[in-house]
């Protein structure tokens, strides 16, 4: 696969010479007393696949609707290609949107739905059929051109909506929960198709989703939002591996959170005192944390090992009892209760048959992890 | 055969037979009879007590004389034509008035909609006859409308509206407006708002989004509304006789006069049968439209 040495990595956000396609500058949006977007600043670059992720009501849909032109900005400005778009109505923006409900015109055929935007554009009439044909080929719906939206399946409708929003070759495509209505299998297939189409057309995609797996799969960068604010904007792997806060760590994937206090520090290695009668946790963290600071220690279940004997090669080992086992097929998650009641989740790959599993409920076990496996989070 | 099922299917057909088909057959029979000075005022009447022979003579005495008579007197086809014209024009005007009302209702906030709906239905709580009479007070030469227009100085002489076709149009539009508004409203109300946003997103102005999306999608509601206004307006009797003048020619009025002034039941029945045949055509068209809509929704 891609070797960072041979192929340039797509990371315009790390290049200070790159000009962002979209800039949010201190944008605030209020609905009456409710603050939907709170003083938000964000850059999105051309050809990015940018995911806005967050729980419902976090402001991600409002952010997207402001880009499309359906909501005004209360304060601050949004620049598209360096131009303030506050005064530009939705029908004059080089931005198209794929709606959550697809919003296909029920009285028009698939081909006419796709042609709808082209007919309102400056494209010469005789060139429209070829463009429609091209879009139908892109989403593999050539033989459904003359069907009405109610005569095709949900997955096909989703693709018509995608083709329609891409037909005008917008600078920016907005996707509002584009896969929300599809079943899981179809959703996974479509995710890869979306990435493929994004790469083929070179369009900048901004996707709104509440499904973290979807965001991680498709996006070049993920923005985690909460209460109208950006909590963290980063690549999927960095969001997962180095979340900047308890909120992000907890929102993305599964995590063990242990509340404690930094006791002693030597360089970037810390000892965390976290419970009476429990051995302190040693962990690496950012430099310069002072003793006495309260913090959270976060560690992913798959980075916690579980064994019957106390391991000698890991700097942290805690004893407990297996409370529960969640069998997920490829992996099992063991819920281990420590002496003070704290539950630690450990995830183990099931590379042996389940009948040969040597640990079971109420067994006394050790959970262990190295000092670099977890993270020290201050907020 | 399941008896319960048979019963369920038979019930509507029984009512249709009792309330529509049998009365129609009676009217059809009278239309084929001859007028007579007797009670009832036509011959022949069926007398079953006289046996098989009298039934045979009964049928031989029926003929199409009255229908031929309808074609000979210009009054009748003029009345049919004038009724069709008045019904068509008032349906069109009701559509022009009703569409914006339905559109505004569909655009109103959820908390307002039940109130607006109530306001549209409210006139039905008063007798239809009284409401039409009330228009006489509004439209007459000394009526409220003329008083108002003279008071604000728009006219010097009162306008003659009452006893003209204009008054009939006003009466029909007023009476049947709810039948136009409600189906259009129900079509507009269930429309997904994101369709308009999608149209704007794809380059439409507000106005063209309306013409290209909202208008075509409200077509089934408009068609239903037009039929619901056109069909009763065609046979309308009360409105032309109260608000219209001597020059207002409508088939409903002709029918009334044949029955009650001339006491010519057979000709009146023939007029009614022809009116029914004229109405059946739009009703069939209407039902075909409904069925097409149902098929499209599947």
């Amino acid at each position: 696969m891609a070797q960072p040495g041979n192929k340039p990595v797509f990371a315009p956000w790390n290049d200070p010479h790159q000009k962002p396609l979209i800039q949010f500058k201190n944008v605030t949006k209020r609905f009456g007393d409710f603050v939907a977007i709170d003083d938000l600043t964000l850059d999105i670059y051309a050809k990015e696949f940018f995911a806005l992720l967050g729980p419902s009501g976090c402001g991600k849909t409002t952010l997207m609707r402001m880009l499309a032109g359906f909501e005004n900005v209360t304060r601050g400005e949004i620049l598209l290609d360096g131009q303030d778009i506050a005064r530009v109505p939705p029908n004059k923006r080089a931005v198209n949107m794929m709606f959550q409900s697809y919003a296909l015109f029920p009285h028009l055929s698939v081909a006419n739905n796709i042609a709808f935007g082209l007919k309102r554009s400056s494209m010469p009439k005789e060139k429209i059929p070829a463009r429609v044909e091209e879009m139908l080929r892109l989403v593999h719906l050539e033989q459904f051109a003359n069907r009405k939206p109610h005569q095709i399946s949900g997955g096909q409708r989703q693709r018509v909506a995608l083709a329609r929003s891409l037909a005008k070759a917008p600078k920016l495509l907005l996707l509002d929960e584009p896969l929300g209505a599809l079943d899981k299998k179809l959703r996974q297939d479509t995710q890869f198709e979306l990435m493929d189409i994004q790469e083929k057309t070179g369009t900048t995609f901004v996707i709104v989703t509440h499904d973290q797996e979807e965001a991680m799969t498709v996006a070049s960068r993920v923005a985690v939002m909460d209460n109208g604010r950006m909590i963290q904007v980063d690549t999927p792997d960095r969001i997962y591996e180095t979340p900047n806060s308890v909120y992000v760590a907890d929102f993305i994937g599964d995590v063990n959170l242990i509340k404690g206090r930094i006791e002693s520090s030597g360089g970037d290695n810390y000892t965390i005192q976290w419970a009476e009668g429990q051995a302190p946790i040693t962990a690496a963290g950012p430099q310069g944390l002072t003793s006495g600071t309260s913090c959270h220690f976060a560690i992913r279940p798959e980075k916690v090992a579980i064994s019957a004997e106390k391991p000698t090669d890991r700097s942290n080992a805690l004893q407990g009892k297996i409370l529960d086992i969640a069998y997920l097929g490829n992996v099992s998650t063991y819920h281990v209760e420590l002496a003070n009641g704290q539950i630690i989740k450990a995830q183990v790959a099931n590379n042996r048959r389940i009948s040969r599993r040597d640990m079971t409920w109420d067994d006394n076990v050790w959970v262990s992890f190295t000092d670099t496996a977890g993270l020290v989070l201050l907020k | 055969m399941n008896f319960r099922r048979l019963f369920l299917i038979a019930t509507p057909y029984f009512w249709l037979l009792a309330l529509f088909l049998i009365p129609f057959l009676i009217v059809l029979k009278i239309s084929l009879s001859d007028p007579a000075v007797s009670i009832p005022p036509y011959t022949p009447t069926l007398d079953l007590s006289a046996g098989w022979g009298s039934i045979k003579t009964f049928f031989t005495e029926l003929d199409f004389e009255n229908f031929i008579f309808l074609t000979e007197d210009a009054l009748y086809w003029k009345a049919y034509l004038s009724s069709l014209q008045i019904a068509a024009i008032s349906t069109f005007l009701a559509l022009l008035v009703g569409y914006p009302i339905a559109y505004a209702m569909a655009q109103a906030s959820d908390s307002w909609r039940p109130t607006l709906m109530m306001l549209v239905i409210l006139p039905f709580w008063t007798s239809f006859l009284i409401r039409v009479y009330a228009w006489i007070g509004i439209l007459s030469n000394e009526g409220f409308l003329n008083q108002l227009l003279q008071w604000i100085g728009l006219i010097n002489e009162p306008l003659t509206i009452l006893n003209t076709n204009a008054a009939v149009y006003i009466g029909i539009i007023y009476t049947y407006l709810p039948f136009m508004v409600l189906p259009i409203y129900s079509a507009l109300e269930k429309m997904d708002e994101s369709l308009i946003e999608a149209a704007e997103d794809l380059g439409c102005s507000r106005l063209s989004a309306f013409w290209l999306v909202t208008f075509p999608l409200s077509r089934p509601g408009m068609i239903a509304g037009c039929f619901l206004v056109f069909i009763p307006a065609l046979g309308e009797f009360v409105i032309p006789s109260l608000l219209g003048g001597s020059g207002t020619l409508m088939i409903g009025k002709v029918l009334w006069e044949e029955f009650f002034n001339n006491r010519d039941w057979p000709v009146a029945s023939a007029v009614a049968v022809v009116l029914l045949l004229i109405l059946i055509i739009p009703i069939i068209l209407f039902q075909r439209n409904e069925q097409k809509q149902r098929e499209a929704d599947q």
Side-chain angles (χ1 to χ4, degrees), chain A residues 3-4 51 79 102 110 113 163 261 287 295 342 353:
Chain A
Q3 296 285 318
L79 306 182
Y102 307 149
V110 166
N113 261 285
R261 201 159 35 77
Q287 285 204 356
C295 69
Q342 171 88 36
R353 286 220 166 250

Side-chain angles (χ1 to χ4, degrees), chain B residues 28-49:
Chain B
L28 184 66
K29 188 251 145 192
I30 298 172
S31 75
L32 300 172
S33 312
D34 294 319
V37 186
S38 62
I39 293 175
Y42 53 85
T43 72
T45 48
L46 187 57
D47 183 11
L48 287 173
S49 58

Side-chain angles (χ1 to χ4, degrees), chain A residues 119-137:
Chain A
K119 286 180 184 167
R120 313 303 142 219
S121 70
S122 56
M123 183 181 268
K125 247 197 178 124
E126 62 276 8
K127 285 191 178 164
I128 291 176
R131 178 67 178 163
V132 171
E133 193 63 29
E134 191 188 338
M135 296 321 293
L136 284 169
R137 252 198 321 277

Side-chain angles (χ1 to χ4, degrees), chain B residues 20-21 24-25 27-28 31-32 64 67 70-71 80 84 227 230-231 234-235 251 255 268-285:
Chain B
F20 178 75
L21 203 60
F24 173 72
L25 286 175
V27 171
L28 184 66
S31 75
L32 300 172
F64 287 95
F67 289 94
L70 289 188
T71 61
Y80 282 120
L84 280 170
F227 279 115
F230 181 80
I231 293 168
L234 188 61
I251 201 66
L255 192 65
S269 299
V271 170
V273 169
V274 173
L275 180 63
L276 188 82
L277 292 178
I278 294 174
L279 279 176
I280 276 177
I281 298 165
I283 289 170
I284 289 172
L285 286 176

Side-chain angles (χ1 to χ4, degrees), chain A residues 73-89:
Chain A
V73 177
T74 311
R75 226 186 17 244
E77 57 182 353
I78 303 172
L79 306 182
L80 176 66
D81 247 355
Q83 302 222 304
D84 188 1
I85 54 172
R87 299 264 166 275
V88 185

Side-chain angles (χ1 to χ4, degrees), chain B residues 175-241:
Chain B
T175 306
Y176 295 111
L177 197 59
F179 297 118
M180 183 62 88
V181 171
L182 294 177
I184 298 176
Y185 167 71
S186 92
L188 288 172
E189 191 237 357
K190 65 181 178 203
M191 223 180 76
D192 183 1
E193 211 176 309
S194 62
L195 289 177
I196 301 300
E197 284 186 347
E200 282 186 53
D201 187 63
L202 291 166
C204 279
S205 65
R206 287 252 146 161
L207 192 69
S208 59
F210 174 82
W211 275 117
L212 292 166
V213 179
T214 311
F215 195 72
L217 286 177
S218 57
R219 221 182 52 137
M222 287 193 281
I223 291 174
C226 285
F227 279 115
L228 289 176
V229 174
F230 181 80
I231 293 168
L234 188 61
E236 186 54 56
F237 157 70
V238 175
I239 296 168
S241 63

Side-chain angles (χ1 to χ4, degrees), chain A residues 65 96-97 101 107 150 168, chain B residues 194 197 200-202 212 296:
Chain A
R65 289 176 60 83
N96 282 128
M97 180 157 168
S101 64
H107 58 301
H150 63 85
K168 287 178 84 176
Chain B
S194 62
E197 284 186 347
E200 282 186 53
D201 187 63
L202 291 166
L212 292 166

Side-chain angles (χ1 to χ4, degrees), chain A residues 25-38:
Chain A
K25 289 188 171 171
N26 304 96
V27 172
T28 297
K29 172 71 190 176
R30 283 201 198 89
F31 294 105
D33 287 339
F34 176 69
V35 182
I37 302 290
D38 191 3

